[in-house]
Amino acid sequence: MAKQVLKNAYVSVDGTNLSDHVSSVTIEANADKVEFTSFGATYREFGQGLKDANISIEVFQDYASASVDQVIAPLHTSGGTFALIVRPDSAAKSATNPEYTMTARVFDYSPLNGAVGDANTTSISFANAGTAGLARGTA
């Protein structure tokens, strides 16, 4: 199995490709741990409960037209939903370059972050806002 170094990940927020501003991306898919252990068991039994999906990105801030702030700020303010797409590489999705999509909402956004002489970077947190959750596509 090939190992991979992230060098050209693809991140699209509400139809806008922000990949050239993203410095890191994390996808988390979780499920509640529900216990099903009954009398007479010698080991606990667990199953998956409700699931949750979150995607976080670290970006270099940009206030230009159709860039980070002008895309994210209105989505955060409105609380509306939008499509979020992430791939390990900017190439087309495939078996070796899966695409993760979800209907999302912005929950954490700091439009300005940095100290004297630092890059203006910010973390943005997205959470699942649709019933389909996080989808993985390869074709």
Side-chain angles (χ1 to χ4, degrees):
M1 179 178 187
K3 294 171 177 60
Q4 184 176 30
V5 174
L6 286 178
K7 294 193 246 179
N8 196 24
Y10 175 82
V11 178
S12 172
V13 178
D14 197 27
T16 302
N17 182 348
L18 296 178
S19 304
D20 63 343
H21 287 74
V22 176
S23 62
S24 72
V25 59
T26 303
I27 299 174
E28 295 180 18
N30 304 299
D32 291 339
K33 183 178 173 182
V34 178
E35 186 168 353
F36 295 114
T37 309
S38 58
F39 289 116
T42 54
Y43 284 90
R44 294 183 183 276
E45 179 184 355
F46 296 95
Q48 286 188 346
L50 294 175
K51 296 181 180 179
D52 188 15
N54 299 286
I55 297 177
S56 300
I57 60 174
E58 181 82 18
V59 298
F60 295 102
Q61 184 60 283
D62 189 340
Y63 304 100
S65 178
S67 198
V68 177
D69 188 64
Q70 288 195 15
V71 170
I72 302 298
L75 296 172
H76 183 252
T77 301
S78 74
T81 64
F82 53 90
L84 182 60
I85 302 169
V86 176
R87 290 191 302 265
D89 190 82
S90 64
K93 69 180 171 180
S94 67
T96 58
N97 190 37
E99 179 173 276
Y100 296 89
T101 60
M102 74 178 185
T103 300
R105 281 194 173 93
V106 177
F107 282 90
D108 297 307
Y109 175 57
S110 300
L112 182 63
N113 181 31
V116 173
D118 288 347
N120 184 3
T121 61
T122 190
S123 296
I124 306 167
S125 297
F126 306 94
N128 176 54
T131 58
L134 182 67
R136 181 182 186 274
T138 58

